Amino acid sequence: RRWGRAGMRLRSGVFASSCLLVQALGVALFLRGFFPVPVRSLPSRDARADPPAEPAPPGPGMVSNWTKIPPPLFKKVVIVLIDALRDDFVFGSKGKQFMPYTTQVVEKGTSYSFIAEAKPPTVTMPRIKALMTGSIPGFIDVVVNLNSPALLDDNLIWQAKTAGKRIIFYGDDTWVKLFPKHFLEYDGTTSFFVSDFTEVDDNVTRHLDRVLKREDWDLLILHYLGLDHIGHMTGPNSPLVGPKLREMDNILKKIHISLLSKEEASLPNLLVVCGDHGMSETGSHGGSSEGEVHTPLLFISSAFEKRSGLLAQPEHVQQTDLASTLAIGLGLPISRNSVGNLILPVLGGKTMREQLRFVHLNGFQLSRLLQENTPAYEKDPGYEHFKIAEKSHSNWIKLYLEGNNSEILLNLGKKVLKQYLEALKTLSSSLSKQVAQYDMYSMMVGTVIIMEVLLLLLLSVPKALSKRAEFEVPLSPPLFSLLFYLMCLMLCAVHVIVCTSAESLCYFCSMSWLTAVGVMMLISALMCGILSAIAKIFENSRLPLKNPTVSDSSWSEIDVLILAGTIGHVLSLGASSFIEEEHQTWYFLINTLCLVLCQELCRNNFLLKECDPQHSTNVKQNFDSIGGTSECKNIDIPAASNSKLGKAASSSEFIKGSDKWISLATPWIILICCRLLRSLNQTGVQWAHRPDFGHWLTSSEHKSELSFLAAVSLLLIFFLVQRRCSLVSKIAMALGLLGVYSYRAAIGNVIFPWQHGGKDISKGITEARFVYVFVLGIVFTGTKDLLKSQVISADSSMKSTGLWEVYSGLVLLAALLFRPHNLPVLVFCLLIQTMMTKYIWRPLKFDAAQITIMHYWFGQAFFYFQGNSNGIASVDVSAGFVGLDSYVEIPAVFLTAFATYAGPFLWAIHLLCYLSSEVSRNSAAVGHGCFCYALMRSIPVAIYVVLVTGLRYHLFIWSVFSPKLLYEGVHVFITAAVCLFFTAMDQNHSYKVQD
C-alpha cells in the first residue's frame, strides 16, 4: 500500500478482498430482509382473550346462551412424533411388513388416518412450530434450527399449561428449548448426534412403563429420533429401517393398550401418531420432494367408529391443521396465529350444534388473523364466505332454540357446516399466501451495496489486471468530497422518511443511528469511487494513443468461451428449472472448456510444422511490439506469448516426444473422468431418484466393493498429494489416510479384509480424532514454512512447499469428512489438477486470469460432483459430527460447511499453490488471480439478488429460489475468506512501479 500525490495505491488482491468483504455485508443485510424473523401479532401471554359467543339468532334482543369454550372431548392425549416418518413407512409395503399392529388399527380399528403435508423447509424445529402453533414458520428457521430459542408465539403447549393441564415430555431436546418451564417432567435427548440410532430412542422408551401407570398427567409427548438418524446415515432403503419401524410399532401397541385399559365411560383417551417431516431418497430432508413433505397422521381413540372394509387412500390434510384440532379436542382456545383448519372427522361424533360451534370458533379465529394482516380484508372471498356462513348459522340457532327437531334442522345444519368448511379452506389458503412478508427496505439497501461493489470491480478490471496490478484510490478531490457529503445527507433523509412512515417493522430501521449512518457513508463512498473510475476512463479515452496503428490484442476462443459461459450461467439463474438442475450448466461448461483446450493443444502442436521458422520468428517479433502496448492481456508472463503463433513458438520446447501425445490426450482423459463422476451421484431434482453408482455402492450387500474402492482411492490420494511434501508430512499423510479408513471401518461403512460377519459398530471418535491430529500437524508444518518465507527470507520454493502442505492437510480433512463412496471425487479432483498443471497450463502459457476462471469453473462442477444440489436436503449433516462426542456448535458448523464446499475450496487453494509456484510468472499473478476470483463470485451473486427480489412472489420461491440464495450467501463468505488468504500470501511482493 503506498500513498501517492492524490491518494492511496492499492494492490488488486487487497482491493478485491476489501470489495468482497463489503459485498458480504450487503449480502448479510439482504438475507436479513429477505428472511425476516416474523413479527408476532401478540405475545402469547396477552392472547387469552374471551372466546367469541355463538352467533346470535336474528330478531330483537336475541342472544345465544353458549359463550364458553366447548368442554374437552378427550381425557388423556398421547402424541407420538416419530422423526422423519414418511407416509409410505406406515401406509406402504414397509408398514404392512414391519408395523403389523399399526396397520391393523389403521385398517380395522377405531382410527382416522390422514397424510399431513409439511411445507418446506422440512427441518425439525420449524415443523414442531407448525404442529404446535398451526402457523407456517419462515424459511430462516432452517438456519436457526441449530440453536432453537424459546417460542413466543401463542401455541398449544402454552394454552394447555395455562388451562392447568399437566404435560410430560420425553425426546428431542428442541422441545425443551422451544417450551422452557412448560413441562411437569421432561428428559431431552440431543438431536444433532446423527450416528446414534439406539440410545437416543431407548432414553425415551425407558420412561414409558412408569408413566403409563401414573394418573398425574393429561398430555404426554414422545419424540423419537432414531429413524431420522438412520435416514441421515444410511438412507430410507437401509436394512436398519425395518427393525426400527418394528420397535416403533411395539411402542405404539404398548401405549394404545394401556390407554384403552385406563379408559373411563365419561371421556375417552386419544393417541396421535405423526411425523415432523419425511425423508428424501438419499435419507436427508429440508427440501420439497414428495418423500420429504408427506407424513402420516393417525388419530386412534375408542370415541371413533370401528372401520370396516378396505382402507381407501388416506385423505390429505395440512400439517398446520393438527394444532386447531387438538385445541378443540382438549377444550382449549385455538392459537392466535394458526392458519390451520379443523380436521372434522376427528370431532365429528358430536351433535350438530357442537360441530357448528367448533367450526365457528375456527372461522372466527382465522378471520380475526386476516383482519390483523390485511388492510382490505372485507373484500377477501374467505371473509365473505365466513360472514354468509355465520348468518346461516344464526338462522339455524333460531330454529334450534325454537325446539324444531325435524329433518329440516339436520339438513340445514349440514348445509351450514359445508358453508363453514368452504370458508375455512379459503381463509386458510389466503393466510398461508401472506406468510411471505419481506422487509423491502433492508433488501434494497443490501442490493445497492452489492451492485455498487460489482460495478466498482468491473470498472477496475483494466487497472487491476495491468502489469502493476495496483491502482490509485482518490481520497481528496474537492468535487468528490462535496458530492460525498451531499449523498450522505440525502440518504440519511431518505432513511428518516422510510423509517418514520413504514407500517411494518424493518430491521435496518431498528439498527442504531450510528450503524445506519455508517452504512449510508459506505454507500456514498462506493458511489464516489464508481464516479471517479468512470471519470478516469473518460479522461484516458481522450488522450491520444501512443501507437495508433496497433489495435488491442485479439480475443482467443478461451476468452470468448469464458465470457459467454459466465453470461449464460448468470442468465440461467432466472429460471427455476435451471436452478434445480444447475449442475447440468456446469457440466456442460467444463466439457466445452475441455474441447476448446483440445483445439488449442492441436494448434500448438501442429501449427508450427505448417509455417516456416523464419516467418514464425518475424511474427513473434511483431507480437512482441504489441505485447509492449497492450496492458491488459497475458501480462503476468513474458510478452513473447501474446499470440497464438507466439505461444506456439515459445512453448514448442516444452512438449517433446511422448509428452506431446499425453498432452493431446489430457482433455479427453478429463472428459472421461467427468463422465464417470456424473454417474457417481445423481443430483438436482428431475433425475435425483434415478439409481446411481453411489446408491449401488452404499447398499449393504456391496460393502466389500465399497471397501475396495475406498482403499484404492485413499492410496491414489496419497500418491497424488505427497509428491511436493516434506518427508514428515508424507509420513503424517500416510498415517492420516490409514486413520480415515479405520474410522469408516469403525462406524461400519467399510470392512477390513480379515473382518467377517458383524463387528460392533462404534462412533469412531478415537479414530477420527487420530486423523484430526495429523490434519492439524500437516497444516501447522505448512503454516510454519509460510511464516518463515514471509518473515525471514523471500524464498519462493519454501513458500510453495508451505502452501502445498496446507493444501494436502485440507485434502486429508476432506477425505475424512467425505462419505466413502465419494472418495473417487477427491481422487479425480487431484488427478485433473495434476494433469492440467503439467500438460495444459504450463505448455500453453495461459495468463493468470484465464487459469483462475478455469479453476473457478472446475470448483463449481466439483461442488455438484460431490452430490450437492441447490436444495437444503443435500447438505450432509453427518460431516459436522465426525469425531465429536456431542453437539458443539462452532466445529459442527465449520466441518459441515467445509464438507459441503470442499470442491470450490480445494480448487481455490490449488490456484494459489499453482500461481505462487510458477517462477516464470510476474509477481502480480497472485493479485490477478485473487481479483478474478472475487469478480467471478461477485457477478452471479449481484444478478441473483436482483432476480430473487423480482421473483419474490413466485410459486417456487421457498422450495427453489430461497435455498439457492442461502448457498450463494454462504459461498460469498467462503470466497471472502479465500481472498483474504490470497492477499496474505501476496504480502511480500514489492511490485516494480514504473511511474
Side-chain angles (χ1 to χ4, degrees):
R1 211 174 281 190
R2 291 197 195 74
W3 296 85
R5 289 177 304 279
M8 176 174 64
R9 278 186 182 159
L10 276 185
R11 293 205 318 283
S12 11
V14 177
F15 175 70
S17 303
S18 317
C19 280
L20 262 188
L21 287 172
V22 173
Q23 192 167 44
L25 170 78
V27 168
L29 194 55
F30 181 87
L31 289 175
R32 185 62 176 73
F34 190 82
F35 301 117
V37 176
V39 183
R40 308 296 173 205
S41 53
L42 266 177
S44 51
R45 56 184 168 277
D46 308 337
R48 206 170 172 80
D50 289 329
E54 207 172 27
M62 297 281 277
V63 285
S64 164
N65 56 1
W66 193 0
T67 55
K68 292 207 163 38
I69 280 181
L73 311 178
F74 304 103
K75 184 170 189 276
K76 279 181 161 42
V77 176
V78 179
I79 301 172
V80 181
L81 194 154
I82 302 169
D83 212 288
L85 186 68
R86 277 195 344 187
D87 59 336
D88 60 336
F89 287 177
V90 174
F91 303 129
S93 56
K94 276 197 174 77
K96 287 189 174 61
Q97 187 182 350
F98 300 114
M99 302 187 81
Y101 185 79
T102 310
T103 306
Q104 186 200 334
V105 170
V106 164
E107 289 180 355
K108 301 194 176 89
T110 53
S111 69
Y112 285 107
S113 30
F114 303 93
I115 290 176
E117 288 183 29
K119 289 267 187 290
T122 44
V123 185
T124 299
M125 189 191 72
R127 302 285 45 89
I128 295 174
K129 286 185 177 178
L131 286 165
M132 291 297 111
T133 63
S135 59
I136 300 171
F139 199 87
I140 202 63
D141 280 316
V142 174
V143 185
V144 186
N145 192 32
L146 295 172
N147 180 25
S148 35
L151 181 61
L152 298 174
D153 266 22
D154 182 12
N155 61 74
L156 188 75
I157 303 286
W158 182 83
Q159 292 284 9
K161 185 172 186 279
T162 313
K165 305 265 183 210
R166 297 156 299 177
I167 314 165
I168 292 179
F169 170 77
Y170 302 117
D172 183 348
D173 62 359
T174 307
W175 288 76
V176 183
K177 291 175 191 163
L178 282 173
F179 309 108
K181 301 180 184 158
H182 284 64
F183 303 120
L184 174 76
E185 187 181 302
Y186 64 86
D187 182 14
T189 55
T190 179
S191 55
F192 289 113
F193 203 64
V194 290
S195 53
D196 174 12
F197 308 147
T198 45
E199 270 174 51
V200 78
D201 287 351
D202 293 345
N203 280 339
V204 178
T205 311
R206 67 194 169 112
H207 300 286
L208 258 187
D209 292 330
R210 185 172 49 83
V211 166
L212 291 173
K213 284 179 192 148
R214 283 160 44 185
E215 290 293 331
D216 63 342
W217 56 271
D218 304 294
L219 178 58
L220 170 65
I221 303 169
L222 309 169
H223 186 150
Y224 283 97
L225 285 161
L227 184 66
D228 178 62
H229 290 185
I230 288 171
H232 276 299
M233 294 301 280
T234 59
N237 302 316
S238 152
L240 297 169
V241 168
K244 180 55 73 179
L245 291 176
R246 195 173 284 120
E247 180 193 333
M248 294 294 112
D249 193 50
N250 291 331
I251 288 163
L252 294 173
K253 182 178 181 179
K254 181 190 282 188
I255 296 169
H256 188 213
I257 290 169
S258 167
L259 287 177
L260 287 174
S261 67
K262 283 206 158 44
E263 225 159 65
E264 295 162 14
S266 55
L267 270 185
N269 296 327
L270 173 68
L271 169 60
V272 180
V273 183
C274 59
D276 53 349
H277 51 75
M279 61 171 85
S280 67
E281 282 307 309
T282 57
S284 49
H285 53 87
S288 55
S289 72
E290 203 166 290
E292 291 165 85
V293 297
H294 286 171
T295 65
L297 177 58
L298 312 178
F299 295 91
I300 304 166
S301 170
S302 58
F304 309 145
E305 288 173 16
K306 214 175 178 106
R307 305 197 74 84
S308 58
L310 277 167
L311 178 74
Q313 180 63 22
E315 193 187 325
H316 282 243
V317 294
Q318 292 300 315
Q319 202 178 43
T320 45
D321 298 346
L322 181 68
S324 44
T325 308
L326 281 180
I328 296 291
L330 286 163
L332 304 169
I334 297 171
S335 306
R336 288 182 63 92
N337 295 325
S338 166
V339 297
N341 295 340
L342 287 177
I343 303 172
L344 204 61
V346 179
L347 316 168
K350 296 286 155 184
T351 64
M352 183 54 74
R353 188 181 183 190
E354 285 175 307
Q355 285 189 50
L356 289 173
R357 174 75 171 134
F358 299 152
V359 286
H360 176 250
L361 284 170
N362 191 192
F364 182 84
Q365 173 264 325
L366 287 173
S367 60
R368 188 172 59 181
L369 189 63
L370 189 79
Q371 286 173 41
E372 286 175 0
N373 285 286
T374 315
Y377 65 91
E378 282 151 345
K379 292 183 185 136
D380 188 274
Y383 188 79
E384 288 170 358
H385 288 170
F386 174 67
K387 285 297 170 198
I388 294 165
E390 209 171 33
K391 208 169 186 180
S392 311
H393 189 180
S394 61
N395 289 330
W396 185 89
I397 289 169
K398 186 184 180 190
L399 284 175
Y400 177 82
L401 293 178
E402 284 168 1
N404 190 335
N405 275 333
S406 66
E407 190 72 25
I408 301 166
L409 190 69
L410 185 67
N411 287 338
L412 182 64
K414 282 180 180 170
K415 188 186 164 197
V416 177
L417 198 59
K418 201 175 174 186
Q419 283 180 327
Y420 265 133
L421 290 175
E422 196 59 43
L424 291 182
K425 209 171 178 179
T426 320
L427 278 168
S428 181
S429 73
S430 62
L431 280 165
S432 302
K433 280 177 193 149
Q434 286 193 5
V435 171
Q437 283 294 323
Y438 299 103
D439 172 2
M440 282 310 290
Y441 183 48
S442 304
M443 282 165 69
M444 283 300 149
V445 175
T447 308
V448 166
I449 294 174
I450 295 167
M451 293 309 288
E452 282 186 334
V453 168
L454 175 64
L455 207 57
L456 201 54
L457 281 169
L458 287 171
L459 289 168
S460 313
V461 168
K463 281 282 184 202
L465 296 185
S466 65
K467 274 188 182 138
R468 302 177 190 177
E470 65 174 20
F471 40 88
E472 286 187 5
V473 179
L475 286 180
S476 59
L479 169 73
F480 284 125
S481 56
L482 178 64
L483 182 70
F484 173 75
Y485 291 124
L486 280 173
M487 276 192 71
C488 278
L489 280 171
M490 193 178 76
L491 288 170
C492 289
V494 169
H495 183 67
V496 173
I497 293 164
V498 170
C499 292
T500 48
S501 65
E503 289 173 14
S504 58
L505 193 65
C506 161
Y507 173 70
F508 194 56
C509 293
S510 63
M511 282 179 163
S512 71
W513 266 100
L514 211 61
T515 318
V517 170
V519 173
M520 296 307 167
M521 286 171 75
L522 178 70
I523 292 174
S524 309
L526 286 169
M527 198 64 221
C528 291
I530 289 166
L531 292 171
S532 79
I534 293 170
K536 259 204 172 121
I537 288 170
F538 273 114
E539 204 178 292
N540 293 344
S541 67
R542 287 209 198 101
L543 294 173
L545 282 170
K546 291 174 195 167
N547 189 352
T549 54
V550 182
S551 67
D552 216 10
S553 61
S554 61
W555 283 55
S556 69
E557 285 92 337
I558 291 272
D559 297 329
V560 173
L561 172 66
I562 283 170
L563 186 71
T566 305
I567 292 171
H569 167 249
V570 166
L571 293 177
S572 76
L573 295 177
S576 60
S577 306
F578 273 101
I579 290 176
E580 287 178 341
E581 307 297 317
E582 195 189 344
H583 56 286
Q584 302 285 10
T585 309
W586 289 112
Y587 296 168
F588 172 76
L589 286 176
I590 59 168
N591 290 351
T592 315
L593 178 66
C594 285
L595 293 174
V596 173
L597 288 173
C598 185
Q599 185 199 359
E600 286 279 326
L601 283 163
C602 290
R603 182 189 286 127
N604 192 39
N605 281 308
F606 300 122
L607 198 66
L608 257 182
K609 293 167 187 167
E610 289 161 26
C611 46
D612 71 293
Q614 182 62 43
H615 172 72
S616 169
T617 320
N618 293 344
V619 172
K620 183 168 173 278
Q621 283 161 359
N622 288 348
F623 276 98
D624 271 2
S625 66
I626 295 175
T629 60
S630 153
E631 205 184 20
C632 211
K633 193 86 187 91
N634 285 65
I635 24 59
D636 49 1
I637 37 184
S641 57
N642 257 11
S643 79
K644 292 160 195 168
L645 288 177
K647 273 187 188 175
S650 66
S651 62
S652 58
E653 69 246 38
F654 277 98
I655 300 181
K656 293 184 180 113
S658 62
D659 275 11
K660 171 176 160 180
W661 298 107
I662 298 175
S663 173
L664 286 169
T666 298
W668 301 101
I669 295 169
I670 293 169
L671 281 172
I672 292 166
C673 291
C674 292
R675 185 66 200 88
L676 291 172
L677 285 173
R678 284 179 73 161
S679 51
L680 186 67
N681 291 307
Q682 283 284 7
T683 182
V685 173
Q686 300 293 329
W687 317 112
H689 60 279
R690 289 275 185 89
D692 53 39
F693 190 50
H695 272 108
W696 184 85
L697 282 170
T698 45
S699 64
S700 51
E701 57 266 27
H702 299 129
K703 199 176 263 193
S704 48
E705 287 92 334
L706 178 62
S707 306
F708 176 73
L709 184 73
V712 171
S713 300
L714 291 169
L715 270 174
L716 288 169
I717 289 170
F718 177 70
F719 283 116
L720 287 164
V721 106
Q722 53 82 36
R723 45 199 177 95
R724 285 163 61 185
C725 295
S726 61
L727 181 65
V728 179
S729 295
K730 282 180 187 178
I731 296 165
M733 191 76 192
L735 290 170
L737 291 167
L738 197 64
V740 171
Y741 194 87
S742 309
Y743 166 72
R744 287 295 165 188
I747 64 167
N749 291 146
V750 297
I751 49 172
F752 283 110
W754 56 85
Q755 212 174 295
H756 296 292
K759 175 184 171 279
D760 286 345
I761 293 175
S762 74
K763 291 175 188 172
I765 290 170
T766 317
E767 290 87 345
R769 287 180 181 173
F770 174 77
V771 181
Y772 284 141
V773 169
F774 288 116
V775 170
L776 291 172
I778 296 171
V779 172
F780 176 74
T781 314
T783 313
K784 190 184 71 184
D785 284 352
L786 286 174
L787 289 172
K788 256 191 206 166
S789 75
Q790 299 279 67
V791 178
I792 300 163
S793 62
D795 179 9
S796 62
S797 67
M798 185 182 278
K799 181 179 174 183
S800 63
T801 309
L803 277 171
W804 190 263
E805 284 182 341
V806 170
Y807 176 67
S808 56
L810 293 172
V811 168
L812 178 57
L813 179 60
L816 174 66
L817 299 180
F818 274 20
R819 301 268 177 112
H821 75 274
N822 255 349
L823 287 171
V825 178
L826 206 49
V827 174
F828 283 132
C829 172
L830 296 168
L831 183 69
I832 292 172
Q833 286 170 353
T834 310
M835 292 191 76
M836 289 191 85
T837 302
K838 191 168 180 192
Y839 297 112
I840 293 181
W841 293 324
R842 277 186 189 143
L844 291 181
K845 295 231 169 156
F846 288 118
D847 61 27
Q850 292 168 327
I851 289 174
T852 301
I853 292 164
M854 288 183 215
H855 271 86
Y856 179 79
W857 280 17
F858 272 100
Q860 289 298 95
F862 270 87
F863 175 77
Y864 296 105
F865 283 142
Q866 283 172 241
N868 288 321
S869 69
N870 285 328
I872 298 290
S874 59
V875 175
D876 181 10
V877 190
S878 62
F881 306 95
V882 174
L884 296 183
D885 257 329
S886 56
Y887 173 63
V888 192
E889 194 165 350
I890 292 168
V893 169
F894 169 76
L895 292 173
T896 308
F898 179 79
T900 308
Y901 287 94
F905 198 74
L906 289 176
W907 277 88
I909 303 297
H910 181 269
L911 172 69
L912 182 58
C913 293
Y914 175 75
L915 291 178
S916 301
S917 65
E918 291 295 280
V919 188
S920 63
R921 289 182 183 275
N922 175 341
S923 57
V926 176
H928 294 163
C930 182
F931 182 84
C932 288
Y933 207 77
L935 184 63
M936 288 304 287
R937 186 82 290 270
S938 191
I939 294 170
V941 132
I943 306 297
Y944 190 66
V945 156
V946 175
L947 286 171
V948 163
T949 308
L951 296 169
R952 63 189 182 281
Y953 295 115
H954 192 283
L955 180 63
F956 296 141
I957 188 70
W958 297 118
S959 55
V960 179
F961 292 102
S962 300
K964 171 68 178 163
L965 184 63
L966 285 177
Y967 274 112
E968 288 290 313
V970 175
H971 204 163
V972 168
F973 293 113
I974 287 174
T975 311
V978 168
C979 285
L980 285 172
F981 186 50
F982 265 72
T983 310
M985 291 302 97
D986 197 24
Q987 218 47 18
N988 64 342
H989 288 310
S990 54
Y991 300 148
K992 301 178 196 73
V993 180
Q994 305 126 15
D995 280 320

